[in-house]
Amino acid sequence: MLNKNGKQNSWKQELIAGFIGYFTTVYIVAVNSQILSDAGLPLETGMVATIAASALGCLLIALYANAPMVLIPGMGINALFAYSIVEGAGFTYEQGLAVVVVASLVFLITAFTSLGAWLSRALPVSLIHAITVGIGFFLALLGLEKGGIVVKGEQSLIALGELSSPVVLTSVATLFIAIFLFAKNVPGNFLITLAVGTGIAYFAGILGEPQPSLNFREQQWVFAPDFSVVTEFGFWMGVFPLALVLIFENMGLIHSQLDMVGNKTDTKFHKSYQATAFSSFTSGFLGTSPTVSSAESAAVIAAGGKTWRASLTMAILFIATLFLIPWISIVPSTAISPILIIVGSLMVQEIKHIPFDDLSEALPAFLMIAMIPFTYSIPDGLAFGFIAYPLVKIAMGKQKELTVPIILIASAFLIELLLRALSL
């Protein structure tokens, strides 16, 4: 692979890019494992699952697609898995992994067929962006809650946390440091946030003790997803939003990243998309929410990463992270919450793509955005948005703009809500 000067990229340049990519994304080990622990997975096991899925994802994108991308469990997608699919639907962790496997299988099908292109034409762009925005607000709410900055109010749903609390003070201090680092575009800003936030928590006296070293023999490495609920309607109401987010988020990310590399051929895109889909599929057996092509891949490419060598470097570094688990385990929620808030704010920027001057698009999109955080459920937020879409189109005399898929999706969500209401 030639660089912009027409010369072959050196191993040194690719290694440096891989190191930068790793230090930019290794924060996911602490953040994702905490989110998975909220769904019932032991924290240490969540770290192992996150590391294994990230290492395998980077290896797949390196060897199959020859692309300098980093694949890690997706932010927002992990919240959908933990809080909506497992906790919200009342599934066990293994049943939630079954949803991951089936949704990723749908993702795989779109990667090897024309189904993905068909879906991108059939579903309204406003709702696709509204999903991202709604999840962004949901992530920000989770971050504020984890840091104790907002709590359940006595006279309202949400209230400001006790500002004199060491936890809240630590969270707020770490948040402002994180915002400063991110705004200054400091390399590895999230990793620095975790380190500084952990230090502040130590001096505030709210830091726990390191876990014992990882026992490789006793550690669970492979999971058996439980498909016993596959015949339940609620199972498929979890599969649909997860598959939808996986398909469209990765489409956009991979396109933009290949543009940066300067090698946006159809073959390169399809191979990268297919590798990402297969990595997502394996996540269900490794015990974590699906991996995606991370936005931080831009840092790898900007540092000179052009080929598989940068991704392979990241895969090796992620494997080495297994030996750091005892120290990663002490990272407190006060250091993680600012990252959730900032990532949420980045996702909310997608709101600029929603045509608010067209009420037939804006009203359903707004309803979806509002209901995702307010119901504390991503599928429920999607249900309100998709059901409202055809109703508003018909009311405004724009029924010709409706497609068969949108009508089927709206009908499925409506049936699910009616069945839930009748079961009460």
Side-chain angles (χ1 to χ4, degrees), residues 228-242:
S228 62
V229 291
V230 72
T231 56
E232 295 183 14
F233 197 75
F235 178 88
W236 295 99
M237 287 296 99
V239 167
F240 168 71
L242 183 56

Side-chain angles (χ1 to χ4, degrees), residues 274-285:
Q274 289 165 359
T276 304
F278 189 73
S279 174
S280 173
F281 179 74
T282 62
S283 298
F285 299 97

Side-chain angles (χ1 to χ4, degrees), residues 187-209:
N189 51 77
F190 284 162
L191 181 61
I192 297 172
T193 296
L194 291 178
V196 173
T198 302
I200 295 174
Y202 172 77
F203 287 109
I206 59 174
L207 195 64
E209 295 293 328

Side-chain angles (χ1 to χ4, degrees), residues 147 257 261 288 296 343:
Q257 289 157 7
V261 177
T288 182
E296 285 88 353
V343 171

Side-chain angles (χ1 to χ4, degrees), residues 60 141 183 205 288 358 397 417:
L60 285 170
L141 176 60
T288 182
D358 182 352
L417 291 180

Side-chain angles (χ1 to χ4, degrees), residues 19-252:
F19 269 89
I20 290 174
Y22 169 77
F23 284 111
T24 305
T25 56
V26 71
Y27 73 88
I28 196 66
V29 178
V31 178
N32 192 59
S33 59
Q34 272 221 1
I35 290 176
L36 296 181
S37 71
D38 289 342
L41 191 68
L43 186 66
E44 182 183 84
T45 305
M47 291 182 187
V48 171
T50 303
I51 291 169
S54 301
L56 180 59
C58 291
L59 189 63
L60 285 170
I61 203 75
L63 301 184
Y64 183 77
N66 187 22
M69 298 178 188
V70 53
L71 270 57
I72 57 176
M75 294 295 294
I77 292 176
N78 49 14
L80 170 57
F81 169 76
Y83 303 111
S84 295
I85 293 174
V86 178
E87 282 191 342
F91 290 151
T92 66
Y93 195 86
E94 287 72 19
Q95 289 168 343
L97 291 177
V99 174
V100 170
V101 171
V102 175
S104 299
L105 185 60
V106 175
F107 182 20
L108 261 175
I109 292 172
T110 68
F112 286 91
T113 67
S114 59
L115 179 60
W118 178 76
L119 280 174
S120 66
R121 293 191 300 268
L123 296 183
V125 173
S126 60
L127 292 188
I128 293 172
H129 290 302
I131 295 172
T132 302
V133 176
I135 294 176
F137 279 117
F138 185 52
L139 269 185
L141 176 60
L142 289 174
L144 292 168
E145 285 184 330
K146 279 185 172 292
I149 300 173
V150 299
V151 295
K152 185 177 181 181
E154 294 181 1
Q155 298 179 339
S156 61
L157 290 176
I158 298 176
L160 187 65
E162 182 55 59
L163 294 179
S164 61
S165 165
V167 171
V168 176
L169 289 174
T170 301
S171 297
V172 172
T174 308
L175 174 61
F176 285 125
I177 291 171
I179 291 173
F180 178 82
L181 293 172
F182 187 81
K184 293 287 288 184
N185 197 27
V186 175
N189 51 77
F190 284 162
L191 181 61
I192 297 172
T193 296
L194 291 178
V196 173
T198 302
I200 295 174
Y202 172 77
F203 287 109
I206 59 174
L207 195 64
E209 295 293 328
Q211 297 292 322
S213 297
L214 180 67
N215 189 320
F216 286 89
R217 290 186 177 181
E218 295 182 3
Q219 177 59 47
Q220 183 175 0
W221 297 92
V222 179
F223 287 73
D226 180 1
F227 294 94
S228 62
V229 291
V230 72
T231 56
E232 295 183 14
F233 197 75
F235 178 88
W236 295 99
M237 287 296 99
V239 167
F240 168 71
L242 183 56
L244 201 63
V245 174
L246 284 172
I247 292 167
F248 288 104
E249 180 173 332
N250 283 292
M251 271 188 185

